[in-house]
């Protein structure tokens, strides 16, 4: 899992000062955007006066044809995106006193960008909004007078530069991905130009598709492909940013992947009633009255209720997952029943009734007997796998668990993983991206995280602390040097074994190579048994209603 601890420390330090701070991959799109930038540089200091020929040619290329008043097109929004955000912001502002959020209210025909967070930028647009994928741009027009002609231009405005408030062009640049603080990965994210024309230019691009609901624009590039990042950097921020629209919102996606949409279709369908738009793949001009560019993110794998309208929490997100996967789980159950029936039919007629009776009898016995607590072991292959996993399974069964071993990979259907964990009482796994699946456990269940050498900080930050916020009974198990395969490669006095935290200060790549990519765990089962017994006791107490959730 690609993390940089030093970046995260900068992030934490910066967040403490956030109150005082104010701050792609498509070849054709990037080339066009570069052309636009190069040909606008000469206007940065252009003062009052008549525009030149280059100015008119530039806008002819960008906007293509005559501007019509949006009223002539009969376009009316069904509700106000900014009103929805303003309602949340006012509620939050009343809770936080004078800390009124940036962009809590914007007027028609304007762009407002909140760059105060070190995690992500987010911009709000309201008015006549039109996408232009070839130039990696989203244009915003004010109400136009079709009889007016080009008058004059004050300046083109770069992000962060002072500018007049009258008759000007505003340009904001944004990379709509939630790891703003991690420069290396942000360099791979496509940049968007948000351009607001605050003067009657008389030129525009015709709309190919009108939408009567707002847009949320974000990227599925970066670390997408890693389940931790898919949830932490994408799905959870998308929930945070969009849930208050009650599905009346369109998702416009940069660096779109078909497999990503297929994988998260059930969740996306509960956040939006509309098919997502592939920004780079769909060359049509999509028009909106309101848009959010970028996503809000709170912390690692969590939802901060103090920043949410209605005090939504990570448990509300967990409820969303439950609603998303329930229909598919029902289908899986039906498929399994059909498979059993087919097996029965394949048997000779003389033995069908006996087999059917045996199955029904077995089901009655299982229903009558008290069920054992269910333990899921999320198994790994290669690095950070458990060498004596088979003995761990036997130990769990001896203690009293019904044990199931799962080996999820990128092709495993999430609904199947959710089904297994949602019906379990406890989960064990070694630190890694797969621990993200703790989100599938019910509050009150047990999460045991095995923490290899050199991964303590990351294990607690990315999974341990968020698990507690979800309401899980979190039990960390830090292995000793003798439980690591590194003890066979290094002298027992080597800093790699004795001082992993010090070794980690040498840099992420060094840490990744030693502790993440080349370490196998062999559990001391006598020592680990204490955690497993504790997990069992928690599970029994929860089943008996002896624990508060």
């Amino acid at each position: 899992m690609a993390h940089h601890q030093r970046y995260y420390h900068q992030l934490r330090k910066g967040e403490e000062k956030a109150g005082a701070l104010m701050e792609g991959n498509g070849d054709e799109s990037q080339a066009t955007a570069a052309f636009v930038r190069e040909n606008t540089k000469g206007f940065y200091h252009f003062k009052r006066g008549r525009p030149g020929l280059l100015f008119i040619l530039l806008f002819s290329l960008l906007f293509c044809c005559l501007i019509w008043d949006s009223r002539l097109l009969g376009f009316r929004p069904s509700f106000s995106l900014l009103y929805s955000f303003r309602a949340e912001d006012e509620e939050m502002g009343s809770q936080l006193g004078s800390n009124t959020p940036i962009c809590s209210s914007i007027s028609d025909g304007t762009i407002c960008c909140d760059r105060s967070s070190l995690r992500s930028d987010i911009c709000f647009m309201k008015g006549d909004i039109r996408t232009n994928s070839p130039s990696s741009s989203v244009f915003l027009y004010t109400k136009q007078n079709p009889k007016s002609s080009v008058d004059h231009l004050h300046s083109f405005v770069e992000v962060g530069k002072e500018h007049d408030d009258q008759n000007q062009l505003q340009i904001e640049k944004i990379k709509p991905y939630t790891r703003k603080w991690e420069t290396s990965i942000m360099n791979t994210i496509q940049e968007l130009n948000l351009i607001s024309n605050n003067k009657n230019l008389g030129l525009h691009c015709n709309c190919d598709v009108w939408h009567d609901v707002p847009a949320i624009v974000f990227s599925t590039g970066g670390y997408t492909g890693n389940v931790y990042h898919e949830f932490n950097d994408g799905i959870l921020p998308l929930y945070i940013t969009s849930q208050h629209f009650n599905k009346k919102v369109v998702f416009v996606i940069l660096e779109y992947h078909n497999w990503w949409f297929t994988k998260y279709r059930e969740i996306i369908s509960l956040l939006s009633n509309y098919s997502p738009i592939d920004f780079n793949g769909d060359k049509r001009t999509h028009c909106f009255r309101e848009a959010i560019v970028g996503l809000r993110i709170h912390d690692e794998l969590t939802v901060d209720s103090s920043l949410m309208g209605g005090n939504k929490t990570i448990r509300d997100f967990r409820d969303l997952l439950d609603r998303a996967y329930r229909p598919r789980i029902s289908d899986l159950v039906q498929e399994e029943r059909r498979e059993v029936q087919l097996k029965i039919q394949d048997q000779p007629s003389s033995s069908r009734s006996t087999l059917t009776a045996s199955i029904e009898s077995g089901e009655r016995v299982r229903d009558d007997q008290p069920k054992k607590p269910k333990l899921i072991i999320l198994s790994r292959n290669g690095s950070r796998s458990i060498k004596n996993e088979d003995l761990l399974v036997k130990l769990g069964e001896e203690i009293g668990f019904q044990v199931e071993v799962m080996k999820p990979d990128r092709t495993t259907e999430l609904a199947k993983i959710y089904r297994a964990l949602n019906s379990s009482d406890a989960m064990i796994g070694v630190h890694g991206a797969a621990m993200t699946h703790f989100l599938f456990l019910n509050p009150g269940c047990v999460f045991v995280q095995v923490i290899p050498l050199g991964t303590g900080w990351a294990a607690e930050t990315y999974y341990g602390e968020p698990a507690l916020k979800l309401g899980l009974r979190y039990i960390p198990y830090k292995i000793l040097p003798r439980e690591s395969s590194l003890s066979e490669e290094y002298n027992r006095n080597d800093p790699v074994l004795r001082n992993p935290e010090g070794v980690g200060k040498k840099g992420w790549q060094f840490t990744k190579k030693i502790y993440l990519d080349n370490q196998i765990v062999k559990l001391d089962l006598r020592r680990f048994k204490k955690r497993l017994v504790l997990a069992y006791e928690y599970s029994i107490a929860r089943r008996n209603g002896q624990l508060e959730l």
Side-chain angles (χ1 to χ4, degrees):
M1 179 174 55
H3 293 97
H4 300 280
Q5 184 169 347
R6 59 189 179 88
Y7 284 134
Y8 195 88
H9 283 309
Q10 292 174 2
L11 172 64
R12 289 297 193 190
K13 181 178 179 181
E15 285 180 331
E16 294 174 358
K17 300 180 180 179
L21 277 175
M22 288 300 304
E23 288 240 54
N25 294 332
D27 295 338
E28 180 181 355
S29 298
Q30 296 289 31
T32 308
F35 171 83
V36 172
R37 289 193 293 271
E38 283 298 315
N39 286 278
T40 58
K41 287 179 180 177
F43 292 100
Y44 287 148
H45 302 292
F46 191 80
K47 302 300 180 182
R48 291 182 182 270
R50 292 283 180 180
L53 178 60
L54 180 59
F55 171 81
I56 296 174
L57 289 174
L58 171 63
F59 278 89
S60 297
L61 285 171
L62 293 178
F63 305 136
C64 316
C65 45
L66 293 175
I67 291 182
W68 294 351
D69 194 310
S70 60
R71 290 172 295 180
L72 299 179
L73 298 173
F75 177 69
R76 294 292 185 271
S78 60
F79 62 94
S80 173
L81 175 154
L82 273 306
Y83 176 81
S84 299
F85 260 84
R86 187 155 55 246
E88 285 199 356
D89 289 339
E90 287 174 355
E91 179 179 346
M92 189 169 67
S94 66
Q95 297 171 355
L96 302 180
S98 60
N99 295 328
T100 303
I102 300 170
C103 303
S104 60
S105 177
I106 69 171
S107 59
D108 189 73
T110 57
I111 302 172
C112 179
C113 292
D114 182 351
R115 303 182 186 275
S116 61
S117 170
L118 292 179
R119 288 180 176 267
S120 66
D121 291 335
I122 187 166
C123 294
F124 302 85
M125 306 175 75
K126 184 178 181 181
D128 185 355
I129 301 164
R130 310 190 180 198
T131 64
N132 187 267
S133 60
S135 64
S136 293
S137 300
V138 180
F139 295 101
L140 171 65
Y141 300 88
T142 58
K143 292 181 180 180
Q144 302 292 333
N145 180 356
K147 296 182 179 180
S148 67
S149 60
V150 176
D151 188 2
H152 61 266
L153 177 70
H154 278 201
S155 64
F156 279 68
V157 181
E158 288 184 302
V159 173
K161 287 199 172 184
E162 295 294 329
H163 57 277
D164 295 333
D165 292 329
Q166 300 176 354
N167 305 327
Q168 65 186 324
L169 192 76
Q170 177 187 359
I171 300 178
E172 300 282 353
K173 297 181 182 295
I174 183 172
K175 295 184 176 184
Y177 188 63
T178 56
R179 297 191 77 80
K180 171 183 172 182
W181 50 277
E182 193 168 350
T183 305
S184 60
I185 200 63
M186 291 302 291
N187 287 338
T188 71
I189 301 298
Q190 181 179 352
E191 185 174 65
L192 275 183
N193 306 297
L194 311 183
I195 304 175
S196 172
N197 170 23
N198 293 331
K199 188 60 185 176
N200 300 324
L201 293 176
L203 300 169
H204 85 284
C205 278
N206 285 327
C207 289
D208 297 312
V209 185
W210 283 100
H211 301 272
D212 61 357
V213 297
I216 292 181
V217 185
F218 62 97
S219 172
T220 55
Y223 290 129
T224 299
N226 174 294
V227 68
Y228 162 80
H229 289 289
E230 287 166 10
F231 272 93
N232 186 71
D233 304 340
I235 296 298
L236 266 164
L238 186 60
Y239 168 78
I240 289 168
T241 309
S242 69
Q243 54 82 31
H244 67 289
F245 292 125
N246 296 319
K247 302 172 68 174
K248 295 179 180 179
V249 62
V250 175
F251 297 146
V252 181
I253 305 175
L254 279 69
E255 298 156 303
Y256 177 90
H257 305 285
N258 283 324
W259 66 262
W260 178 88
F261 177 69
T262 300
K263 183 175 182 178
Y264 293 104
R265 183 191 304 271
E266 292 93 342
I267 299 175
I268 300 302
S269 67
L270 291 185
L271 295 176
S272 171
N273 283 328
Y274 306 89
S275 298
I277 296 170
D278 177 356
F279 181 84
N280 294 312
D282 189 342
K283 302 302 181 183
R284 296 176 298 174
T285 298
H286 290 267
C287 298
F288 303 88
R289 286 296 299 172
E290 303 175 44
I292 299 174
V293 184
L295 300 176
R296 294 193 186 278
I297 181 172
H298 293 163
D299 207 336
E300 306 301 323
L301 293 176
T302 197
V303 176
D304 186 339
S305 62
S306 69
L307 302 176
M308 296 288 287
N311 296 317
K312 299 280 188 198
T313 70
I314 188 62
R315 293 197 186 188
D316 292 293
F317 176 75
R318 174 64 176 68
D319 291 341
L320 180 86
L321 295 181
D322 198 64
R323 288 185 281 118
Y325 291 124
R326 279 296 167 189
R328 175 55 181 154
I329 291 173
S330 178
D331 290 342
L332 290 172
V333 171
Q334 293 300 320
E335 289 174 10
E336 290 173 359
R337 289 176 178 172
R338 284 194 293 269
E339 289 177 2
V340 171
Q341 290 300 320
L342 288 173
K343 288 180 180 180
I344 294 174
Q345 293 175 10
D346 289 341
Q347 298 296 318
S349 57
S350 59
S351 56
R352 287 179 188 173
S353 58
T354 302
L355 181 59
T356 301
S358 176
I359 293 173
E360 292 176 351
S361 175
E363 289 178 348
R364 284 196 298 271
V365 169
R366 286 194 297 270
D367 291 338
D368 293 340
Q369 291 180 346
K371 293 182 178 179
K372 295 180 179 180
K374 182 179 175 182
L375 169 65
I376 298 289
I377 298 175
L378 287 185
S379 181
R380 294 178 61 98
N381 292 319
S383 177
R384 283 168 287 150
S385 59
I386 299 177
K387 189 174 182 179
N388 53 345
E389 184 175 86
D390 55 340
L391 296 178
L392 174 61
V393 172
K394 292 180 180 179
L395 177 61
E397 292 173 341
E398 290 173 3
I399 289 173
F401 281 110
Q402 171 195 340
V403 182
E404 178 181 342
V405 178
M406 290 192 67
K407 292 187 177 183
D409 56 32
R410 293 184 181 182
T411 64
T412 305
E413 187 179 354
L414 284 179
K416 293 181 178 179
I417 303 174
Y418 182 88
R419 180 188 179 190
L421 289 172
N422 182 64
S423 63
S424 70
D425 297 275
M427 178 183 104
I428 294 176
V430 181
H431 169 68
M435 294 302 94
T436 305
H437 295 121
F438 78 76
L439 292 169
F440 295 178
L441 292 168
N442 281 294
C445 288
V446 180
F447 169 38
V448 182
Q449 181 175 206
V450 178
I451 304 175
L453 296 180
T455 66
W457 177 87
E460 295 298 330
T461 300
Y462 299 124
Y463 305 112
E465 294 173 9
L468 290 171
K469 293 175 182 177
L470 180 60
L472 301 181
R473 303 291 171 169
Y474 173 56
I475 302 176
Y477 178 79
K478 294 184 179 181
I479 72 169
L480 299 175
R482 67 171 182 268
E483 296 174 271
S484 170
S485 61
L486 297 177
S487 64
E488 301 171 4
E489 301 178 35
Y490 295 89
N491 183 282
R492 64 179 182 179
N493 293 320
D494 193 291
V496 167
L497 301 178
R498 295 179 62 85
N499 185 22
E501 292 184 0
V503 173
K505 294 179 181 179
K506 293 184 179 181
W508 165 251
Q509 291 302 327
F510 193 79
T511 300
K512 181 177 182 295
K513 180 179 179 180
I514 294 177
Y515 296 114
L516 296 184
D517 296 343
N518 293 291
Q519 185 173 190
I520 305 296
V521 173
K522 185 177 180 181
L523 293 173
D524 180 343
L525 293 178
R526 292 182 62 183
R527 179 170 173 256
F528 187 77
K529 183 177 180 180
K530 297 177 182 179
R531 274 73 171 182
L532 208 51
V533 169
L534 183 59
Y536 179 80
E537 291 174 347
Y538 267 137
S539 300
I540 293 297
R542 173 175 171 267
R543 282 175 169 243
N544 294 334
Q546 297 171 349
L547 291 177
E548 279 189 32
L549 302 184

